[in-house]
Amino acid sequence: MNDMRLPPTIAVIKVRAEGDEMAKSAWWKAVWLPLFLALSVHAQPPESDIVLGRADADASGGWPVVLWVVDGDRASVVVSASRDALGELPGASWVPVDAQALMSLERFGAPQLVARPDATVCPVTLGWARSTPPQLAPYAHWAGERLALRHTECAGGDCAMRQAWRIDLPAGSGESLPLARLLPGLAAHGPEWLVLHVVSRHSWPGLAELRYLAVPPPLAWADAATVPALPLAAAAQFPAIQAELLLQAARAQGRAATSTLMRADAMGSIGRVGYVRNWAGSAAQREALGVQSISAQSGRIARLLLRLHPADRPATLSLMARPPNAGSNFVTLHALVPEPATMPACQVAQAALRCEPACAERVAELQQLNRWAWVEPAVARLTPAARLASCRQSCQLQKQRVEQDMAFNFERVAERQQRAWQWVESLTGRSAAAWQRQAARLE
């Protein structure tokens, strides 16, 4: 067998799977953290993923949203509801606040769907000596977040005019929330969802009165490379699909007709916007929600999603610390975006790619920008003439392989979309054909 060696391309730096997690953490802090901090001073945050949809309360049809703040001896509650739906507490009164402040928090914490481009089967740019900076977690809450929400907000039609009210709980309430007195009609006549944001000292809060649903993959933390993706055509239905995934899991665990803590998503601390998952909000929003005095060190925030039933809806909710190994089941789901090009268009694009001028431009670009530090040392040490030769060889091999595998690769794109629909069917218990018909009606 001939030893066919490819020309040098780019350097790929990997963390070896050797050693324990502490060693990996130390490696990260020693090697990447100083570089990361230096880059963050001189550059804007990297461009975020495109958010296709969020499973927030508005998109899900107006689920009630509550913020429960426990700050030492002080406790308060903010509720999005009409005034006549609220109960009374002795010695306390409801004060109207900005509902958008609460929904800003909800949109930040809600599970989201981001675009995941399928493997490129028709590259139209020269893939030689491209820099590979470290990849950061795609939380999609960077400054300048790009939104392409494919669902209609307030899909249920009953949440267009949200109101929000705040009340201070009586002294001595501690970590106990009188839910039935605050919202007496909640889940009184049928099952109802409730979004409960909690600010407390607990890093991983739970509720003593509700059993926690064992959320299966892919709604639990998992390797992003192995988590299946929704088909792009299903993106508009992401809120409904997200809820159906949880309901299917509840049915499988015998929790279909009982009040259940469906999700518990840690959102970190309340602090300034940064490269970690913290909600900051504006000064006006923080004051409206009663968290203006809470620091990143004193307040942890989590989003709990409850499914309440009339038969066993709890009158009171009591905070408790969940075991650390319970962790958070927040995950960013993906919608698989297929290759936009058709096979004839790909053939035209490949024919138009000329290796000689493309390589001359690429080598000159790297030289001008002094980007060789990110390139494999073997490439950086080459003479200008050898770099051109290496680039041309890589370009010709790329074009040859694309042409040879083009038909097969386009077939694989269609197969991946089909598997994505099958994944939706398997986890929601609803046929792919039914979801596709619904998607067609929304377009």
Side-chain angles (χ1 to χ4, degrees):
M1 181 180 296
N2 295 332
D3 183 14
M4 298 182 62
R5 298 183 181 274
L6 296 179
T9 53
I10 59 175
V12 179
I13 302 176
K14 298 181 179 179
V15 181
R16 294 186 180 274
E18 301 167 354
D20 56 18
E21 292 300 321
M22 186 176 297
K24 293 180 183 178
S25 176
W27 182 92
W28 160 262
K29 293 178 181 178
V31 177
W32 282 116
L33 188 57
L35 173 61
F36 173 67
L37 294 176
L39 289 174
S40 65
V41 172
H42 300 289
Q44 294 296 320
E47 190 174 35
S48 69
D49 292 323
I50 297 178
V51 180
L52 296 176
R54 283 201 180 89
D56 57 23
D58 277 352
S60 302
W63 293 346
V65 180
V66 173
L67 169 65
W68 178 16
V69 180
V70 180
D71 184 16
D73 296 332
R74 182 179 70 90
S76 63
V77 175
V78 179
V79 180
S80 69
S82 60
R83 180 64 182 85
D84 57 6
L86 303 176
E88 302 296 337
L89 292 178
S93 60
W94 292 97
V95 178
V97 298
D98 181 12
Q100 293 305 312
L102 182 59
M103 295 314 298
S104 170
L105 173 63
E106 163 59 359
R107 282 187 288 273
F108 179 87
Q112 61 196 16
L113 181 73
V114 302
R116 189 183 82 187
D118 202 347
T120 301
V121 299
C122 184
V124 294
T125 58
L126 178 61
W128 180 83
R130 292 290 175 183
S131 59
T132 309
Q135 298 298 308
L136 303 173
Y139 288 137
H141 288 299
W142 312 100
E145 174 186 50
R146 294 182 295 160
L147 298 180
L149 297 177
R150 298 174 65 95
H151 61 71
T152 302
E153 290 192 355
C154 294
D158 58 351
C159 58
M161 297 297 294
R162 277 195 178 270
Q163 297 174 285
W165 307 82
R166 181 181 163 200
I167 192 170
D168 292 328
L169 298 183
S173 298
E175 297 184 337
S176 179
L177 180 69
L179 183 65
R181 301 187 69 175
L182 296 176
L183 290 168
L186 181 66
H189 306 292
E192 193 167 355
W193 295 91
L194 172 67
V195 179
L196 175 62
H197 292 275
V198 178
V199 177
S200 72
R201 60 187 174 85
H202 298 298
S203 298
W204 307 105
L207 299 171
E209 294 79 9
L210 296 178
R211 177 180 166 185
Y212 179 56
L213 184 71
V215 180
L219 298 182
W221 279 106
D223 181 3
T226 63
V227 172
L230 272 67
L232 183 63
Q237 303 167 82
F238 170 61
I241 290 176
Q242 177 81 9
E244 194 62 37
L245 293 177
L246 291 170
L247 289 174
Q248 180 78 345
R251 286 189 287 268
Q253 297 172 36
R255 307 292 297 169
T258 62
S259 296
T260 305
L261 174 54
M262 304 291 278
R263 291 180 63 99
D265 302 328
M267 294 166 56
S269 60
I270 292 182
R272 63 183 180 83
V273 176
Y275 289 92
V276 291
R277 187 175 173 78
N278 294 337
W279 181 82
S282 66
Q285 289 174 336
R286 291 167 62 88
E287 185 174 359
L289 299 180
V291 296
Q292 68 272 23
S293 62
I294 297 177
S295 67
Q297 291 72 35
S298 63
R300 307 287 296 180
I301 184 167
R303 179 184 186 269
L304 310 182
L305 179 60
L306 286 58
R307 178 75 169 171
L308 303 179
H309 285 257
D312 62 348
R313 56 182 179 145
T316 302
L317 296 179
S318 305
L319 280 181
M320 59 178 290
R322 290 190 294 132
N325 58 4
S328 167
N329 59 16
F330 179 88
V331 70
T332 297
L333 297 184
H334 295 81
L336 190 61
V337 181
E339 170 66 59
T342 62
M343 187 168 172
C346 184
Q347 292 170 333
V348 172
Q350 291 303 306
L353 177 59
R354 305 296 180 185
C355 291
E356 190 76 29
C359 283
E361 180 180 354
R362 179 64 183 146
V363 170
E365 174 193 1
L366 287 173
Q367 188 66 40
Q368 179 181 3
L369 298 178
N370 193 24
R371 297 289 295 276
W372 297 108
W374 286 104
V375 178
E376 188 174 292
V379 175
R381 288 194 295 267
L382 295 175
T383 64
R387 289 171 187 162
L388 279 173
S390 174
C391 179
R392 286 195 294 266
Q393 184 182 1
S394 178
C395 179
Q396 293 295 342
L397 281 172
Q398 172 187 302
K399 292 188 62 175
Q400 179 182 351
R401 288 181 173 178
V402 169
E403 292 168 0
Q404 290 176 345
D405 300 337
M406 190 177 299
F408 174 76
N409 287 334
F410 273 96
E411 290 176 2
R412 293 292 299 275
V413 168
E415 290 175 1
R416 282 190 288 270
Q417 287 290 313
Q418 183 178 5
R419 285 199 301 270
W421 279 116
Q422 292 171 347
W423 173 76
V424 172
E425 180 176 346
S426 67
L427 285 185
T428 64
R430 186 176 174 186
S431 71
W435 284 113
Q436 288 171 319
R437 286 193 297 269
Q438 183 170 330
R441 288 195 297 269
L442 294 175
E443 292 178 353

